[in-house]
Amino acid sequence: MPNARKLSPRNISPSIISTAALAISSAINFLGVMLWVRILSPQQFGIFALLSSSALFINALAFEWIRTMVARLLYDASSPYLVNKRKSFLMLLLVASIAAVLLILSLAAYLSDVTVGGMNATLLPIVVLYAISEMAITMINSTSRVRMLHWQFFASMVFRSALVIVVGYVFVVHLRLGAEGLALGTALAQFGAVILICLVDPVWRKFSARAMLTSYRGADFREIFGFGGPLIVSNGLTYLVSIIDRYLIAAFLGSMWVGFYVAPLDLTAKTIGILMLALNIVFYPAVVRAYEDQGRDVARRKMEENLAVQLLLLSLPVVLLTSFPGEVCRVVLGHNFSTESRYILPWLTISVAFRVLISNFIMIIFQLEKKTTGVALAPAISLVTVVPLGLLGMWLDGIRGMAIAAAAAQAFTWAVCLVAAKRAMPVRVVGPDVVKILGIDAALCLLAWALPRPQDAVYLIVDAAIIGAAFVVLALVVRLQALAPILALVRRRR
């Protein structure tokens, strides 16, 4: 065909590249979870979960507010690299300064043999290195997305995931360093991915420390701290809410039960969480540009459409994980974890589903309208709700009580924050598409209940394929408006 475009990396849709990056990297991460639960005991896996959670909490508190500003404030259509040079240098200076302070403090604690938060001095440098490596890889990925370097983002995501498994396996199996080795190996692997991107990206190769120290203005400081200051608290609270349950379990039940709890939680994060992240990576820059370039009403309509797409994408994984928890845990997590984890997987699935809806819908509304106090509302409500409910739940029913409490807290937070978000931006939540999607969910649940319980991986895949086929058929039959752009694209490709 003379008019057909030749398929090459340059004419592949950016959304396809970003989605592929998330799909491949999450698949590798998923295999990583399956590997770690088979070579680490529940107690060692629980210790690793606590180490990684501490590192990611430091990252959320110290660096995540800057990463959020990268996505919200760094875009500049008039710049050759699509980023504001002065602000980018200022943000880089802030990152470097905070990282230096954390390293100095961790080294001082190590030399003084100080215990911080129940963590001995030997582990503190590992946790800080992990936190800084997480910051570095997320900053690299965020700037790549802002600059629309989609293949660079793809390379970073996939290489990082693969390298974590290779280095982590060496540290755990061959060097026999256990949970500490897996945390250290993850940090080193992430630094390796960052170095690779810096070597191939001409902007990073031309980096100048002098320019970083002299290229910004006082107005940049005021804008960044005016918008980002409240995010320090909100991001810290947001991540604290996502990990407080494992700290409560460690304090009252022990690290072994943290392992039983976190294994299915990681399973939901590597499925539901990554699926929603893939959508958000494509959607968030687009809605920011729509808000800035086309106005508030256009952004509001995009938010309403995006909510329907989120609910549609959540349908299939939520139904499968809540309908076949025992079978999924046995296949994915193995026998060491499935006996206890199967009872909490449905509740953790519900909790994570509400959490991603809060992050990818309500939080985006607050960020678009620059309602920074609203951004802190959701984690504050979750925190004051989940702690008493979690303590009561563990007293009544162990880790399952904690999982039920987490689901209830997230549902309550969604309901309260939705009211506040609608005041900031009057979005319509219950539209025709949402009603149809909820009907699809109910039909899929009935189908899953009617199917025989799968006895092994093959039958589980068959049941998942049947439910997946029903999902596709129902989504097409009810003519969801959210699918209209996708169907139009398919027709054009024919």
Side-chain angles (χ1 to χ4, degrees), residues 130-368:
Y130 194 137
I132 295 174
S133 73
E134 186 71 23
M135 171 275 300
I137 194 69
T138 53
M139 290 294 182
I140 285 285
N141 291 338
S142 294
T143 52
S144 295
R145 281 165 29 212
V146 171
R147 293 167 57 203
M148 300 183 185
L149 300 176
H150 306 290
W151 283 112
Q152 181 168 294
F153 172 73
F154 179 92
S156 174
M157 292 290 292
V158 175
F159 183 69
R160 176 260 175 204
S161 298
L163 198 57
V164 165
I165 290 184
V166 173
V167 179
Y169 185 84
V170 171
F171 276 64
V172 173
V173 175
H174 295 286
L175 299 182
R176 300 183 183 279
L177 295 178
E180 294 88 345
L182 181 54
L184 180 59
T186 300
L188 295 178
Q190 294 187 148
F191 279 127
V194 170
I195 292 171
L196 172 69
I197 298 302
C198 290
L199 289 175
V200 301
D201 190 335
V203 171
W204 290 108
R205 289 204 307 268
K206 295 176 182 177
F207 167 73
S208 168
R210 180 180 178 182
M212 179 182 70
L213 295 171
T214 60
S215 294
Y216 56 86
R217 300 183 308 194
D220 298 325
F221 257 116
R222 289 190 292 273
E223 181 180 11
I224 286 175
F225 281 99
F227 179 65
L231 293 177
I232 298 174
V233 176
S234 65
N235 286 334
L237 282 174
T238 298
Y239 194 76
L240 179 61
V241 166
S242 69
I243 63 172
I244 191 66
D245 45 6
R246 60 195 74 184
Y247 284 119
L248 292 174
I249 293 170
F252 291 94
L253 301 177
S255 58
M256 181 183 72
W257 291 100
V258 177
F260 285 127
Y261 185 89
V262 172
L265 186 59
D266 273 359
L267 171 60
T268 58
K270 296 297 187 295
T271 50
I272 294 175
I274 294 297
L275 184 65
M276 292 297 103
L277 178 61
L279 176 63
N280 192 45
I281 281 177
V282 176
F283 174 73
Y284 186 74
V287 77
V288 168
R289 287 194 289 270
Y291 189 94
E292 298 295 341
D293 298 339
Q294 298 173 279
R296 188 169 181 254
D297 287 340
V298 174
R300 176 183 56 79
R301 288 194 296 271
K302 285 185 175 294
M303 290 299 302
E304 293 170 352
E305 294 168 0
N306 183 255
L307 176 62
V309 174
Q310 288 188 61
L311 293 174
L312 183 64
L313 291 179
L314 282 171
S315 297
L316 190 57
V318 168
V319 168
L320 292 174
L321 293 176
T322 54
S323 300
F324 306 112
E327 295 78 4
V328 171
C329 285
R330 186 168 60 249
V331 170
V332 178
L333 303 179
H335 293 288
N336 288 342
F337 288 82
S338 63
T339 52
E340 298 293 340
S341 297
R342 61 184 299 174
Y343 299 110
I344 62 174
L345 179 59
W347 298 106
L348 293 178
T349 300
I350 295 170
S351 174
V352 171
F354 274 112
R355 186 184 303 163
V356 296
L357 286 173
I358 293 169
S359 298
N360 295 348
F361 182 71
I362 291 176
M363 290 297 190
I364 290 179
I365 290 176
F366 288 141
Q367 289 175 22
L368 287 175

Side-chain angles (χ1 to χ4, degrees), residues 417-470:
C417 291
L418 183 60
V419 175
K422 286 173 69 67
R423 291 179 179 176
M425 179 182 284
V427 292
R428 183 177 64 171
V429 175
V430 185
D433 267 9
V434 171
V435 174
K436 292 176 183 178
I437 291 167
L438 294 177
I440 291 174
D441 294 343
L444 294 180
C445 288
L446 289 174
L447 176 60
W449 176 78
L451 290 172
R453 296 296 90 182
Q455 300 301 315
D456 55 29
V458 174
Y459 286 104
L460 178 61
I461 293 172
V462 170
D463 282 359
I466 293 172
I467 295 174

